[in-house]
Amino acid sequence: MTEREISITPDTSRLNERELATYRKALQGEELPTDEPGLGPLLRRGILLPNTHETGTYVPAQPGFLQTQLTSAVLKVLTEATNALEGIPAHVRELEAEQERFNHTPGPVGTLLLQTVPEVNAETIRTIQGAEFEILTSQPGHRKPRVLKSALPRDLQAAQRGVTVRTIYRTSGRSNPTQRDWVAVMTRAGAQVRTLGEDFLRLIIVDRKHAFFEIYGEDGTVQEDSAAWYSQDRGVCALLAAYFREAWARADPWVPHEGETGAGPEDDTKTTKVQRTILRGIVGGQSYATIGKKLGYSERTVTAHVSALREALGMNSVAQVTHWWATSPERLLP
């Protein structure tokens, strides 16, 4: 029953004018036709009863029964109204779900261009602080020490209140002491970190409802400035979250040693599973294109893996990398 239906429900605790006029005729012993206005409701409610001694006439119910009938009618309306009130929250959730199905910009904005560092920082901080269940981040470049240090309290607070925090870094980031500090602290709080040796997008996705991502030019290259897109479009957020999941599946876990900080040694393993497969192919005389085909990657992605490893090892050429690989115990790893 809707609010409007409740407001126009007649007052069943009293007889209306038509019913009252019919009731008076019955009290006077008048013979009433079956289509007498108001007679039907009075009979249905038990306020008038057929006279068994004289056809066409009616007798009133006893006063005690009248009170019971009229009270029951009001209680029935009240019960219906109470049930309607209790059902409102569930019905509102149903309507919200319908809105989300068809409205791809449920928030105040769809996609905005944030043009300055303060704009980007303010919006990301506000969104991350309000995260309810998930923060997904991919950072393909080296994050500056001051940025990592300033972000740590915010990120740590999110992880400590039960928000799932997943972050992807470049493989070369494992040699960054400040980054290792961040990873050591965050993983102890329950965050998950992986590294990837190929190119990937810079993203922040919060609760699958907010997404921050880089701006690309018409030539497909990242714009070298401080701007970023901020989107609340459900389709955009879902697409970028799916991209993140695929990158996450290809990445290698970064699990620091117990007690590890940026000042101490990192995991002795320098290569990822994918990089080891690529190195075995290179040593076996295979081209990047052939290796990529076996892995399901493009030749460009294979090149990116090799370049990332070369940078992580601090070497200048692929020849140096393969020489290191030939004598490294990592060649025995799967």
Side-chain angles (χ1 to χ4, degrees):
M1 179 178 292
T2 66
E3 180 181 353
R4 177 171 175 78
E5 288 171 336
I6 293 171
S7 66
I8 64 175
T9 298
D11 183 1
T12 53
S13 66
R14 301 177 62 85
L15 303 186
N16 60 36
E17 292 183 5
R18 180 177 296 175
E19 292 169 342
L20 185 57
T22 302
Y23 186 72
R24 287 171 178 160
K25 290 180 182 180
L27 292 178
Q28 294 170 4
E30 292 185 20
E31 185 175 335
L32 302 176
T34 56
D35 59 351
E36 174 72 22
L39 179 60
L42 293 174
L43 291 172
R44 285 194 296 271
R45 295 164 64 186
I47 295 173
L48 286 180
L49 303 170
N51 187 345
T52 57
H53 302 293
E54 188 177 347
T55 303
T57 62
Y58 300 86
V59 296
Q62 294 300 312
F65 182 76
L66 281 175
Q67 182 171 349
T68 300
Q69 288 297 93
L70 295 174
T71 302
S72 296
V74 174
L75 289 175
K76 180 181 179 183
V77 173
L78 289 175
T79 300
E80 292 175 349
T82 301
N83 291 338
L85 286 173
E86 291 177 349
I88 285 175
H91 189 50
V92 168
R93 289 193 293 270
E94 292 175 354
L95 295 178
E96 288 177 341
E98 291 298 320
Q99 288 182 14
E100 291 183 356
R101 285 182 59 199
F102 296 99
N103 182 8
H104 293 293
T105 56
V109 295
T111 301
L112 288 178
L113 175 62
L114 305 177
Q115 299 184 358
T116 65
V117 171
E119 280 185 282
V120 175
N121 289 344
E123 202 60 48
T124 54
I125 289 172
R126 181 191 67 80
T127 305
I128 290 174
Q129 287 178 338
E132 296 179 354
F133 68 90
E134 182 182 64
I135 300 172
L136 308 177
T137 306
S138 58
Q139 298 285 350
H142 285 289
R143 299 177 73 185
K144 296 179 180 179
R146 61 178 178 81
V147 174
L148 280 166
K149 289 178 180 179
S150 64
L152 182 57
R154 177 198 67 202
D155 299 338
L156 185 60
Q157 185 183 49
Q160 289 174 336
R161 68 172 188 265
V163 176
T164 297
V165 179
R166 291 191 176 97
T167 302
I168 302 175
Y169 285 123
R170 286 291 295 267
T171 302
S172 56
R174 291 176 180 255
S175 61
N176 182 333
T178 307
Q179 200 155 291
R180 293 210 305 264
D181 280 341
W182 184 93
V183 173
V185 173
M186 289 298 297
T187 51
R188 284 198 296 269
Q192 302 172 53
V193 184
R194 294 187 179 186
T195 57
L196 193 58
E198 62 188 74
D199 291 334
F200 53 91
L201 299 178
R202 187 187 305 276
L203 296 172
I204 299 176
I205 307 168
V206 178
D207 293 340
R208 312 292 173 94
K209 296 179 180 179
H210 308 269
F212 300 85
F213 52 99
E214 294 175 309
I215 297 173
Y216 284 76
E218 294 182 359
D219 60 353
T221 59
V222 177
Q223 298 297 293
E224 296 296 332
D225 55 30
S226 303
W229 288 112
Y230 167 48
S231 181
Q232 289 179 279
D233 185 286
R234 292 181 63 81
V236 172
C237 292
L239 178 64
L240 293 177
Y243 169 86
F244 180 93
R245 288 195 298 271
E246 292 179 358
W248 181 262
R250 297 195 304 273
D252 292 286
W254 184 353
V255 181
H257 295 307
E258 184 176 355
E260 177 187 344
T261 66
E266 220 282 305
D267 189 343
D268 291 336
T269 303
K270 303 298 183 183
T271 56
T272 66
K273 293 179 181 179
V274 172
Q275 289 171 342
R276 290 193 288 275
T277 301
I278 292 173
L279 287 170
R280 291 186 183 101
I282 293 174
V283 172
Q286 298 175 357
S287 66
Y288 285 6
T290 300
I291 297 170
K293 188 175 181 180
K294 290 182 178 180
L295 290 171
Y297 293 161
S298 66
E299 184 175 352
R300 179 180 177 182
T301 298
V302 174
T303 302
H305 274 286
V306 175
S307 297
L309 178 59
R310 179 178 55 76
E311 292 175 9
L313 294 173
M315 297 178 177
N316 298 319
S317 67
V318 177
Q320 288 177 304
V321 173
T322 54
H323 175 74
W324 168 84
W325 170 252
T327 59
S328 170
E330 292 191 28
R331 71 185 186 282
L332 303 177
L333 296 175

